Amino acid sequence: MKRVLLYPVMILAAIWFTGCTVVVHEERRHPRKPDVICVPADVVIEEINAAGKLSFEPHRRDAYMRIAKRPNLHDAAQEHLVNSVFNNMSFEPWKRDVLMALISNPCFSPAGRQTILTQLDRLSFEPYRRDILEAISRR
C-alpha cells in the first residue's frame, strides 16, 4: 500500500519541482526612463508670446512658471522668457518666482544668466535682486 502511494507522489513531486520558474517583471529590474521631448525653440517662443498676452497677471505667472520649469529649454527660449517676464509682469515677487524657477532648472544656460544679469536693475526691491544673485552664484 505504501509503495502504491509512494510512486505517484514521487512522480508528482518531480514534475512540480522541475516546473518551478521565477518570473521577474522587467519594469522593476530595469525601470524605463521617460522619453524627453525636445521642443524647438520657435515653438516655445510662440508659447511665451501667447502667455504674455493673457489678461490676468496670475495666469501669466503660472504659464511662465510652467515654461521656466520645462526640461531641455533652449537658450533662445530662456532669453525670450526673461525678457517677457520683465516686460509683461509688474508684480515683482512673481517676477522673482519665475526667474528663480528658471535658475533652478537643470538646463539653465549662460545665455539665460546673461539676460537676467543685464536686466536685474529693473527689479526695484533690493532683496529680490539679492535673492536672484545668490541663486545664480550657487549655480
Side-chain angles (χ1 to χ4, degrees), residues 64-84:
Y64 287 153
M65 286 290 284
R66 282 192 300 273
I67 296 169
K69 293 178 180 179
R70 188 174 295 171
N72 294 335
L73 196 60
H74 293 276
D75 293 352
Q78 290 183 30
E79 290 177 26
H80 192 70
L81 178 63
V82 171
N83 291 329
S84 295

Side-chain angles (χ1 to χ4, degrees), residues 36-47:
V36 177
I37 299 172
C38 189
V39 180
D42 295 341
V43 175
V44 178
I45 289 172
E46 289 175 9
E47 188 176 348

Side-chain angles (χ1 to χ4, degrees), residues 68 70-75 78-79 81-82 98-117 132 135-139:
R70 188 174 295 171
N72 294 335
L73 196 60
H74 293 276
D75 293 352
Q78 290 183 30
E79 290 177 26
L81 178 63
V82 171
V98 174
L99 295 175
M100 294 293 275
L102 180 62
I103 293 168
S104 64
N105 192 331
C107 69
F108 183 59
S109 69
R113 177 182 182 271
Q114 182 64 32
T115 308
I116 290 173
L117 291 176
I132 290 171
I136 288 175
S137 67
R138 279 193 306 261
R139 297 267 317 177

Side-chain angles (χ1 to χ4, degrees), residues 114-131:
Q114 182 64 32
T115 308
I116 290 173
L117 291 176
T118 57
Q119 297 188 40
L120 195 60
D121 60 338
R122 293 178 66 182
L123 290 174
S124 59
F125 294 116
E126 182 75 25
Y128 298 153
R129 287 188 293 217
R130 188 180 53 228
D131 291 344

